[in-house]
């Protein structure tokens, strides 16, 4: 399902921004040697740049006790840092919603909006973000 419809995220060259829910499922698929929905998304979008927000890295890191394993797992993904422009986008986003997102989700959504990226995950809250190209898998 896509929310946000048209825009740069629909372009085959647009960046994918992976949410923590995606990384958790992808890690599970790799650990269990299975090909599931997460691997299918990466395969079907292999020509696109793939990134995660620094906020996603922080959320995902909570499940790791070995920093080297975390670095190795996240190695293929570009880590996008926060900026003042993303902070402004996040503030405007939160102010525009009738029901605010959780703080981390707001930062991640604002990052996707700033980079005009297609966000990939399983969080229903992102579906209510205007102009966000959101791909559930």
């Amino acid at each position: 399902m896509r929310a946000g419809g048209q825009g740069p995220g629909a372009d085959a060259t647009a960046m994918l921004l992976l949410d923590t829910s995606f990384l958790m499922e992808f890690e599970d698929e790799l650990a269990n040697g299975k090909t599931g929905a997460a691997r299918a998304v990466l395969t079907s979008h292999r020509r696109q740049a793939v990134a995660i927000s620094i906020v996603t890295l922080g959320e995902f890191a909570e499940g790791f006790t070995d920093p080297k394993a975390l670095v190795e797992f996240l190695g293929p993904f570009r880590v996008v840092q926060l900026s003042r422009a993303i902070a402004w986008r996040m503030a405007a986003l939160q102010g525009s919603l009738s029901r605010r997102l959780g703080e981390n989700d707001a930062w991640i959504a604002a990052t996707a909006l700033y980079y005009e990226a297609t966000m990939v995950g399983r969080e229903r809250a992102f579906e209510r973000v205007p102009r966000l190209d959101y791909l559930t898998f």
Side-chain angles (χ1 to χ4, degrees), residues 12-24:
T13 60
M15 179 172 75
L16 293 182
L17 187 71
L18 308 177
D19 182 42
T20 309
S21 59
F22 179 92
L23 290 180
M24 291 170 63

Side-chain angles (χ1 to χ4, degrees), residues 35-102:
T35 301
R39 289 173 102 173
V41 166
L42 291 177
T43 299
S44 66
H45 293 87
R46 67 179 155 264
R47 293 187 326 214
Q48 293 178 260
V50 180
I52 63 169
S53 165
I54 190 70
V55 176
T56 299
L57 187 152
E59 287 182 335
F60 189 67
E62 289 182 35
F64 279 79
T65 55
D66 180 2
K68 289 174 86 174
L70 175 66
V71 169
E72 183 177 316
F73 179 81
L74 295 177
F77 307 116
R78 172 182 172 202
V79 178
V80 178
Q81 303 297 321
L82 298 177
S83 67
R84 289 180 183 187
I86 293 171
W88 279 109
R89 183 75 55 118
M90 189 277 295
L93 172 63
Q94 289 286 62
S96 73
L97 297 174
S98 60
R99 195 170 45 137
R100 293 170 55 95
L101 295 172

Side-chain angles (χ1 to χ4, degrees), residues 94 100-107 125 128:
Q94 289 286 62
R100 293 170 55 95
L101 295 172
E103 292 303 312
N104 285 352
D105 287 347
W107 283 106
R128 34 188 194 93

Side-chain angles (χ1 to χ4, degrees), residues 1-3 17-25 56 59 99 101-102 104-106 108-109 119-129 132-137:
M1 172 180 181
R2 284 189 185 267
L17 187 71
L18 308 177
D19 182 42
T20 309
S21 59
F22 179 92
L23 290 180
M24 291 170 63
E25 191 158 329
T56 299
E59 287 182 335
R99 195 170 45 137
L101 295 172
N104 285 352
D105 287 347
I108 295 166
M119 194 164 154
V120 184
R122 288 200 190 271
E123 300 294 327
R124 296 190 73 80
F126 291 123
E127 294 175 0
R128 34 188 194 93
V129 176
L132 179 65
D133 186 21
Y134 187 60
L135 174 64
T136 58
F137 66 103

